[in-house]
Amino acid sequence: MPRPSASPFSCASLLSGFSALLGRYFHPAARGDPWVIGSLLSSGAEFGYIGATPRIVCPPLPRNMFRGERPPSLLPHGPDFPTTHREQHAMTVKSLTLKDAREKAQTLQDNLGKVFAEAKTDDGQYDYNKVTYFGAEVKGSVSVAEKVKAMNDELDEVMGHVETLEAADNAAKAHADRGKARRGFGLPGGGEKGGDRPRLIKSLGELVSDDKLYLDWAEKGAKGQIDLAYDDVWATDLLAMATSGNTIGAKALMTTAAGYAPEAVRLPGFVEHTTRPIELIDILPTSRTGNAQVTYMEETTRNHGAVEVAEGGEYAESEFVFTEKSSPVRKIGDSLPVTDEQLEDVPFMGSYINGRLSFGCRQRLDRQALIGDGAGSNLRGLKNIVGIQVQARGGDPVPDVFYRMMTKIRMNGQAVPTHHVMHPLDWEGIRLLRTADGIYVFGSPSEAGPDRLWGLPVAQNSADAQGTGYTGSFQQAWISLVERRGVDVQIGYVNDQFKKGQRTVRADLRTALVAFRPPAFCQGTGLAG
């Protein structure tokens, strides 16, 4: 930047002539501030014109020039600040100590906070037209936003400098810690004190027995007292020899059986025991009820008499009969007694017990939904629903049996089949079917292959015995698992558990299985073999 053509101005002329110019390069609060101008002049700054344009030429400013009672926001900033001055400002930031940089960052953060506090509206937005922090000369959201951006950029720059200095300080501390550790505990056999020459480690007994003063004293009858000093021996050398068992010639063998047994540390978690997964209720539609039983009306007779009628002829009659049906809500529950210590001392035990009891109730429901006989408190499962269709295998291949069941559901149940349910071993027999020349029907063994048969998904369920399978229309209109209450886990005291420090955790659910149209389901038999 060229030097101004005019000579340096007096403070009075600067106050009147360069107020606007200072506002371009400094915080608005600095405009017309004699202290700022005086500080600039004392630092060697010059003011003048290049043509008709006012310009400032100043050397690098002292690091603490705008500290003290003057706000750091007076430091040069703004989009019109000359490039050379921006470089000088960057140099000023890089020269800050860690303490000064932290203080400067905190001040900038506080100033930004004041601006945002003025701009914040009642609805949580920001209206920069409300900001008065920068003075009356800076008006409008765009001008204020530019100032905010400049302050934020400066804060980012200072924080980057702080992080750099903190990293250097941490490195220095780590270096000092390593030096302390090395000086405080020498490595056994590392050499003589003050030297780098490797040496053979000797035990205390060997040092004494090999000492010439000791040998002379012993040869003269071991009379009186003798003082032996070993200034060139590391204490850690003697400790190393002591822990190795070679103390004054002793050769005792230290093993894990006769010495210090190794600590047994368990791996986190545990290996779960095998159990049957939940397989059927995932495909059953669900609904809710607020009653102890699900009562519904079933159309048990539906005879349409519609025929063609001649002129003046008699109309035919249709017949429709409804019957009230009901399915009781059943309860499935489980419980576990547990001590206070087990719940308190093992953090995950509470959630483990809750999860296990909840799973057990749902697993039992999964079994009941398929083979429950309806006796006593049992649900009536799919296998024992009155009116379900049956298809025997006879001499047909197993896949043919399932297709015949699909046909029965379409013809007699007037429903669209959606799923097959079968034992895993029965599905294995289907999956391994091959043609006469040995080609697998359901795909190459190198591929997983879909669990589908005749286009329908297969749900493998081992609750029923091998050899029995099911096909059905598992839609909300034909079947539903109606919940009175989902799984509820409670904890309390039973009998004298309170004085024994014990509790009982219990879980239960209440539900009913309702088959609105039994012919929409079919059971296949004789599938094994």
Side-chain angles (χ1 to χ4, degrees):
M1 174 178 174
R3 288 282 179 179
S5 58
S7 300
F9 286 76
S10 67
C11 287
S13 62
L14 288 172
L15 284 174
S16 59
F18 285 89
S19 175
L21 178 62
L22 289 174
R24 296 179 60 192
Y25 300 139
F26 296 88
H27 190 278
R31 298 175 181 177
D33 191 330
W35 185 89
V36 175
I37 298 174
S39 299
L40 289 173
L41 290 174
S42 65
S43 66
E46 297 181 359
F47 301 84
Y49 288 86
I50 297 178
T53 304
R55 286 290 187 267
I56 299 176
V57 177
C58 60
L61 302 179
R63 175 169 54 84
N64 59 348
M65 177 176 176
F66 293 105
R67 296 184 58 193
E69 64 274 5
R70 296 294 174 173
S73 57
L74 295 179
L75 286 173
H77 73 287
D80 296 329
F81 197 73
T83 303
T84 54
H85 293 179
R86 290 183 185 275
E87 294 173 353
Q88 294 170 2
H89 172 56
M91 294 174 59
T92 302
V93 171
K94 292 181 179 179
S95 65
L96 293 175
T97 64
L98 179 57
K99 180 176 180 296
D100 292 339
R102 285 172 174 166
E103 293 177 354
K104 182 177 178 62
Q106 185 60 52
T107 301
L108 290 172
Q109 180 71 10
D110 294 342
N111 292 341
L112 276 174
K114 295 176 182 178
V115 174
F116 293 141
E118 290 183 356
K120 193 168 185 179
T121 60
D122 294 337
D123 59 356
Q125 303 298 318
Y126 292 93
D127 182 5
Y128 293 106
N129 292 311
K130 298 169 52 180
V131 175
T132 60
Y133 176 81
F134 296 107
E137 292 82 358
V138 180
K139 297 181 179 180
S141 60
V142 175
S143 299
V144 172
E146 290 177 350
K147 295 294 184 181
V148 170
K149 181 179 182 304
M151 293 175 67
N152 190 67
D153 291 343
E154 183 178 4
L155 177 59
D156 289 341
E157 181 183 4
V158 175
M159 287 305 301
H161 184 60
V162 169
E163 293 173 358
T164 301
L165 294 180
E166 287 178 343
D169 278 9
N170 292 336
K173 292 177 181 178
H175 176 72
D177 292 341
R178 289 192 296 268
K180 291 178 181 178
R182 180 177 58 82
R183 292 190 298 272
F185 193 83
L187 298 177
E192 297 181 359
K193 282 190 173 182
D196 297 328
R197 180 175 59 84
R199 60 182 295 276
L200 180 65
I201 302 175
K202 292 185 178 181
S203 67
L204 181 59
E206 291 172 335
L207 289 172
V208 173
S209 61
D210 294 342
D211 195 301
K212 188 175 186 302
L213 290 177
Y214 170 78
L215 294 176
D216 293 343
W217 175 75
E219 185 177 351
K220 296 177 180 179
K223 297 180 180 180
Q225 176 179 318
I226 184 173
D227 294 327
L228 302 176
Y230 301 100
D231 294 333
D232 60 342
V233 177
W234 286 93
T236 50
D237 288 353
L238 300 180
L239 290 174
M241 291 300 297
T243 55
S244 67
N246 297 329
T247 55
I248 315 187
K251 304 295 182 182
L253 178 62
M254 187 175 184
T255 66
T256 57
Y260 194 100
E263 181 181 1
V265 180
R266 289 194 314 226
L267 294 175
F270 59 93
V271 179
E272 296 189 25
H273 196 280
T274 58
T275 188
R276 184 179 67 82
I278 295 173
E279 299 150 321
L280 178 61
I281 60 177
D282 288 338
I283 66 172
L284 286 173
T286 59
S287 57
R288 304 279 300 195
T289 183
N291 302 315
Q293 66 178 9
V294 180
T295 304
Y296 58 97
M297 299 299 292
E298 180 181 341
E299 187 181 33
T300 55
T301 302
R302 180 178 178 178
N303 294 325
H304 290 277
V307 295
E308 295 74 17
V309 181
E311 183 179 356
E314 184 179 356
Y315 280 76
E317 291 184 358
S318 295
E319 181 184 11
F320 306 106
V321 178
F322 291 89
T323 304
E324 183 178 274
K325 297 286 186 74
S326 64
S327 179
V329 173
R330 302 300 190 189
K331 181 191 293 186
I332 297 175
D334 195 5
S335 65
L336 178 71
V338 61
T339 64
D340 295 343
E341 289 79 5
Q342 181 70 91
L343 290 174
E344 294 169 358
D345 297 344
V346 182
F348 78 94
M349 189 53 62
S351 59
Y352 166 81
I353 294 174
N354 293 347
R356 280 294 188 262
L357 293 181
S358 299
F359 176 85
C361 291
R362 289 176 52 80
Q363 185 188 56
R364 182 65 181 181
L365 174 61
D366 187 78
R367 176 184 176 85
Q368 286 277 293
L370 184 63
I371 63 173
D373 59 9
S377 298
N378 290 287
L379 286 173
R380 187 174 296 278
L382 184 62
K383 181 175 184 177
N384 296 300
I385 291 176
V386 178
I388 187 175
Q389 302 186 78
V390 178
Q391 174 66 48
R393 176 184 178 183
D396 291 335
V398 175
D400 294 13
V401 179
F402 283 93
Y403 194 85
R404 293 186 188 279
M405 289 194 287
M406 293 169 61
T407 303
K408 281 191 172 183
I409 291 170
R410 289 190 176 95
M411 296 296 297
N412 303 328
Q414 295 298 313
V416 178
T418 60
H419 292 80
H420 301 298
V421 180
M422 68 182 75
H423 194 280
L425 293 178
D426 293 330
W427 174 243
E428 178 188 81
I430 296 175
R431 186 65 180 82
L432 297 180
L433 285 176
R434 289 182 289 181
T435 62
D437 52 357
I439 299 176
Y440 286 95
V441 175
F442 284 84
S444 170
S446 62
E447 301 175 358
D451 285 357
R452 303 181 72 86
L453 181 63
W454 302 117
L456 302 183
V458 175
Q460 301 182 51
N461 189 301
S462 58
D464 202 357
Q466 179 187 3
T468 303
Y470 304 86
T471 300
S473 180
F474 292 89
Q475 297 181 354
Q476 189 80 46
W478 316 133
I479 192 169
S480 180
L481 194 62
V482 185
E483 291 185 345
R484 175 67 176 86
R485 173 170 47 78
V487 178
D488 182 27
V489 179
Q490 299 179 358
I491 186 169
Y493 300 102
V494 178
N495 299 327
D496 59 349
Q497 284 187 332
F498 181 78
K499 64 181 182 180
K500 291 182 178 179
Q502 300 174 0
R503 304 178 218 179
T504 293
V505 184
R506 78 174 193 183
D508 60 11
L509 59 84
R510 298 181 66 197
T511 188
L513 180 64
V514 183
F516 299 106
R517 181 176 291 184
F521 302 89
C522 188
Q523 179 188 77
T525 60
L527 304 180

